[in-house]
Amino acid sequence: MSPTILTHPLIQHKLTMLRDIDTGVKIFREVVGEIAMLMCYEAMRDLSLEDVKVTTPVSIASSKALSGKKLALVPILRAGLGMVDGILSLVPSAKVAHIGLYRDPETLLPVEYYCKMPHDISERACFILDPMLATGGTAAAAAQYLKDAGARSIKLLTILSAPPGVEKMEQEHPDVEIITCAVDQCLNDHGYIVPGLGDAGDRIFGTK
Ligand code: URA
């Protein structure tokens, strides 16, 4: 499935703020949260609705309410954490799972070091959260972990993507929709997205 690129002017403007080397930690963190909130709005476009009756101060209204699947947010540690609060402000009932993966320096394969899922993950629409889709190694491993845990509905919300990561996800998880704000040119020798925005985790948490 080719990625869904969110071209809304508000999102693109905020992405430019993230790219800017002069954007400091406070603003960077806030804007990551704002973009995540806007991305969630788009990602939830296909959730199903049911007809409900509601008593207004004036009369009875025929209206709509969300039905069916509830949401699980699955941030990949650590940068994915920066996207959680923005989405929770829109969907406070979402459960938050966590996936911690690091890349083994010898094998270069993702190794899981911490995972905690809600027990009813198979009944939830899962949004994997990671601001950067670079090689796609951790995103693909996270999607596989969720599938092994029983998840049947998975989307990947990533602020910036690079072609190798998109290709890996398309090959290994063609059923997982990638929702992103831009697909950049390439990766450099250190695995950073070019032109990108630098190390998202360092910029969110001020560790550089
Ligand atoms: N992770 C980041 O934080 N930045 C990149 O450019 C690539 C991966």
Side-chain angles (χ1 to χ4, degrees):
M1 194 188 301
S2 44
T4 302
I5 301 177
L6 303 181
T7 55
H8 192 287
L10 204 48
I11 290 183
Q12 292 300 315
H13 178 83
K14 289 178 186 294
L15 175 58
T16 301
M17 293 173 73
L18 296 187
R19 290 189 189 278
D20 190 337
I21 193 173
D22 291 325
T23 299
V25 173
K26 177 175 184 291
I27 301 295
F28 191 92
R29 191 184 300 136
E30 286 171 5
V31 173
V32 166
E34 289 168 0
I35 291 180
M37 184 164 49
L38 296 167
M39 293 181 78
C40 171
Y41 181 79
E42 279 293 328
M44 295 187 76
R45 185 176 285 285
D46 58 359
L47 288 194
S48 50
L49 290 171
E50 62 186 357
D51 294 322
V52 293
K53 297 264 188 241
V54 62
T55 305
T56 77
V58 180
S59 177
I60 308 282
S62 297
S63 197
K64 304 279 182 193
L66 287 171
S67 69
K69 289 201 185 81
K70 302 280 185 280
L71 195 61
L73 308 181
V74 190
I76 299 181
L77 304 179
R78 79 189 147 136
L81 292 173
M83 299 174 72
V84 171
D85 285 350
I87 299 180
L88 284 180
S89 66
L90 274 189
V91 196
S93 62
K95 295 278 167 64
V96 183
H98 291 85
I99 296 191
L101 297 161
Y102 71 91
R103 197 195 301 207
D104 184 294
E106 306 257 304
T107 64
L108 300 184
L109 293 172
V111 179
E112 165 200 329
Y113 65 86
Y114 181 79
C115 284
K116 186 86 179 171
M117 300 284 134
H119 65 90
D120 57 354
I121 195 83
S122 60
E123 290 150 39
R124 292 180 175 270
C126 300
F127 289 177
I128 299 174
L129 309 178
D130 192 344
M132 311 298 275
L133 176 62
T135 62
T138 47
Q144 192 56 54
Y145 185 93
L146 281 173
K147 287 179 181 177
D148 292 345
R152 287 170 293 159
S153 164
I154 305 172
K155 295 186 185 194
L156 169 64
L157 276 62
T158 182
I159 294 175
L160 256 191
S161 304
V166 171
E167 279 160 30
K168 187 171 178 72
M169 286 301 291
E170 283 174 346
Q171 276 168 12
E172 295 187 16
H173 299 288
D175 54 317
V176 174
E177 184 186 5
I178 302 169
I179 299 175
T180 189
C181 307
V183 180
D184 274 6
Q185 287 156 22
C186 58
L187 298 178
N188 69 14
D189 293 344
H190 305 285
Y192 282 100
I193 297 176
V194 181
L197 50 74
D199 187 304
D202 280 344
R203 295 194 67 188
I204 291 168
F205 296 110
T207 42
K208 204 162 184 194

